[in-house]
């Protein structure tokens, strides 16, 4: 059954490498912007949901609720990073549909541009990684995905040009949109001559590093009708994981070249929404690396395994193509806030507010959130 | 609970790897295997993930592996590794321990010479207990071998 809630407000700070303000200030700005967008007074928020690891340790729920002057009746946290953001509406639907909360805020932000450990600090969560992997210099995401990419190229015949076409496509989207962190064009020749970080991955294969925050506000579909902007219904949400721990998942997953749980999470979300893959008008996928976009496109069921490289290279993922992917430029060229910007962008598209990057007649959009070994899928929109 | 009482996961001691290092020091390669279903697993676990058995033994295997994948790291992500680059991270599989993939550094080989399924063996002679690092190198074929 499709959830009886809608997203009614969105907010995000301008993406930058290093912000002048601290992370907590950025989050509060984004939450206030989202509430203003919804036309809901801050004091009426009565529920808060985030991922369960990054936000609770950096910008906790109680801090945000205090800044809103709001009393919490529901407090939830799920997965970490991307899957936690995509599944924020799963928790909000449980609370709102059960009458436990009326207005639920989901927020996320990072200051990895400013923080010395950047995105690599997450290794501290995993003792086995510390004890066994770090001594080999196996200590950063580009190295993990470099290993995967080399093997994927052998198994599926992916070419460097196909891989690069993801970076090139998303750069085009970011430049069309404007306001993102990357402002210079990227041709396939530029890509192929870019230095390797952990081969075969080059600098443009890797996501940006960002200081910034985003937020969105959810309420019942009934109350949503009275909000400032057209509501964007939550059509379906899916969450799944596989029984491989975060320590081991980069090396020991038996299906190492398949995005863990992506198919199952997508099946759950599509079943809940009661629509087919072909009903989706655009995708916002967790593009930490070019290779992960290709894998998710396949593993969520939008391409056969091994075909996503050709899909991108032939322009089918462009705005105006069969299935536009990462319409704002994604983590590779717009900003890297682990997917809160993906939800914000999907809402803009479905409201028809995406300007130069508007996908014509967009009715349904899907967001993929990747947090090994978890995966979250959020489908937004309706038939109207 | 107060914030002061919380412990970072990284502060939790991990002693599950000690049998691996003890084996390496004596020139052996050992991985944990379940005594009930006989399957190997990696990393070390308290219970067998396949049958939930608790009787787990570190089994010695023939120290010959094959390259599943590799990457040449060109830039350090941690200042501790700034003098290492470029270095090679390899992921190795073992006929003697199906399902296990081992992270290592490949040494004594030019990156261009590495191939998928290339046979490698542990560089026990380079193993230093202080470093907790067992590297691998291409397996030398015996002189006169036509393999
Ligand atoms: Zn067993």
């Amino acid at each position: 059954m499709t959830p009886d809630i809608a997203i009614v407000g969105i907010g995000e700070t301008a993406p930058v490498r290093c912000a002048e303000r601290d992370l907590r200030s950025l989050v509060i700005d984004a939450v206030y912007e989202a509430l203003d967008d919804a036309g809901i007074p801050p004091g009426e928020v009565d529920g808060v949901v985030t991922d369960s690891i990054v936000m609770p340790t950096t910008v906790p729920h109680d801090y945000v609720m205090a800044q809103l002057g709001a009393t919490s009746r529901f407090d939830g946290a799920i997965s970490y990073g991307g899957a936690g953001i995509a599944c924020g509406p799963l928790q909000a639907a449980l609370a709102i549909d059960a009458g436990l909360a009326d207005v639920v805020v989901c927020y996320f932000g990072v200051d990895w541009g400013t923080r010395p450990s950047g995105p690599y600090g997450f290794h501290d969560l995993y003792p086995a990684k510390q004890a066994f992997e770090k001594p080999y210099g196996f200590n950063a995401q580009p190295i993990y995905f470099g290993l995967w990419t080399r093997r994927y190229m052998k198994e599926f015949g992916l070419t460097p040009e196909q891989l690069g076409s993801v970076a090139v496509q998303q750069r085009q989207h970011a430049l069309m949109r404007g306001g993102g962190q990357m402002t210079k064009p990227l041709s396939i020749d530029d890509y192929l001559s870019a230095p390797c970080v952990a081969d075969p991955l080059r600098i443009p294969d890797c996501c940006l590093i960002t200081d910034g925050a985003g937020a969105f506000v959810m309420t019942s579909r009934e109350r949503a009708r009275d909000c400032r902007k057209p509501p964007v219904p939550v059509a379906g949400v899916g969450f799944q994981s596989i029984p491989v721990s975060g320590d081991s998942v980069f090396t020991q997953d038996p299906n190492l070249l398949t995005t863990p749980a992506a198919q199952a999470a997508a099946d759950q979300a599509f079943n809940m929404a009661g629509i087919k893959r072909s009903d989706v008008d655009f995708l916002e996928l967790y593009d930490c690396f070019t290779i992960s976009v290709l894998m998710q496109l396949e593993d969520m069921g939008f391409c056969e395994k091994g075909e996503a490289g050709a899909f991108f290279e032939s322009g089918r993922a462009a705005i105006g193509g069969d299935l536009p992917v990462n319409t704002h430029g994604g983590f590779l060229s717009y900003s890297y806030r682990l997917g809160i910007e993906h939800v914000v962008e999907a809402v803009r598209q479905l409201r028809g507010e995406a300007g130069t990057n508007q996908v014509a007649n967009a009715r349904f959009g899907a967001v993929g959130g990747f947090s090994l070994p978890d995966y979250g899928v959020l489908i937004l929109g309706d038939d109207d | 609970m107060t914030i002061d009482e919380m412990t970072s996961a990284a502060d939790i001691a991990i002693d599950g790897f000690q049998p691996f290092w003890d084996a390496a020091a004596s020139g052996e390669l050992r991985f944990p295997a379940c005594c009930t279903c006989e399957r190997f697993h990696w990393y070390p676990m308290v219970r067998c993930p396949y049958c939930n058995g608790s009787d787990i033994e570190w089994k010695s295997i023939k120290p010959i592996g094959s390259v599943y994948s590799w990457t040449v790291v060109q830039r350090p992500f941690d200042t501790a590794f700034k003098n290492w680059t470029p270095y090679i991270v390899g992921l190795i599989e073992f006929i003697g321990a199906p399902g296990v993939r081992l992270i290592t550094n490949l040494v004594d080989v030019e990156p261009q010479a590495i191939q998928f399924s290339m046979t490698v063996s542990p560089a026990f002679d380079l193993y230093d207990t202080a470093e907790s690092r067992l590297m691998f190198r291409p397996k030398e074929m015996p002189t006169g071998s036509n393999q």
Side-chain angles (χ1 to χ4, degrees), chain B residues 1-145:
Chain B
M1 189 166 77
T2 70
I3 297 288
D4 288 345
E5 290 164 343
M6 289 199 235
T7 305
S8 156
D11 299 333
I12 296 168
I14 281 284
D15 52 12
F17 288 100
Q18 198 55 45
F20 181 87
W21 301 123
D22 291 345
S26 59
E28 275 191 299
L29 197 55
R30 285 182 186 267
F31 292 108
C34 173
C35 299
T36 310
C37 73
E38 302 192 332
R39 290 181 70 171
F40 283 90
H41 59 260
W42 191 242
Y43 293 122
M45 296 188 58
V46 177
R47 293 292 186 116
C48 169
Y50 306 108
C51 77
N52 309 135
S54 59
D55 195 3
I56 290 163
E57 178 186 35
W58 286 70
K59 283 193 182 154
S60 182
I61 67 159
K62 196 172 172 187
I64 292 176
S66 101
V67 173
Y68 176 83
S69 193
W70 72 97
T71 180
V72 183
V73 182
Q74 303 283 2
R75 59 159 62 183
F77 293 92
D78 178 330
T79 51
F81 295 86
K82 68 175 188 290
N83 296 324
W84 280 37
T85 51
Y87 62 93
I88 307 167
V89 172
L91 189 59
I92 311 299
E93 293 185 317
F94 301 91
I95 290 173
V100 170
R101 296 195 195 98
L102 185 70
I103 281 291
T104 189
N105 294 131
L106 296 174
V107 294
D108 298 336
V109 62
E110 289 301 318
Q112 307 87 299
I114 305 172
Q115 295 180 349
F116 290 104
S117 303
M118 187 170 81
T119 302
V120 292
S121 57
F124 289 122
D125 55 310
L126 300 178
Y127 176 65
D128 175 349
T129 50
E131 277 198 314
S132 297
R133 200 157 63 98
L134 180 63
M135 294 170 275
F136 278 65
R137 60 163 72 96
K139 183 169 171 59
E140 290 166 31
M141 294 305 167
T143 310
S145 161

Side-chain angles (χ1 to χ4, degrees), chain A residues 249-285:
Chain A
V249 74
F250 286 104
T251 58
Q252 308 303 317
D253 180 359
N255 303 307
L256 198 60
L257 303 180
T258 297
T259 318
Q263 184 183 342
D267 285 346
Q268 183 184 327
F270 278 93
N271 287 340
M272 194 183 289
I275 63 169
K276 303 186 297 293
R277 283 358 183 228
S278 57
D279 292 324
V280 165
D281 300 302
F282 63 90
L283 293 173
E284 311 295 349
L285 299 180

Side-chain angles (χ1 to χ4, degrees), chain A residues 3-37:
Chain A
D4 196 27
I5 67 166
I7 296 181
V8 293
I10 51 174
E12 66 170 323
T13 59
V16 289
R17 169 78 187 222
C18 292
E20 288 173 0
R21 309 181 64 211
D22 66 36
L23 175 60
R24 290 188 174 199
S25 306
L26 298 173
V27 164
I28 297 304
D29 285 354
V31 170
Y32 266 82
E33 185 180 309
L35 287 163
D36 184 55
D37 188 52

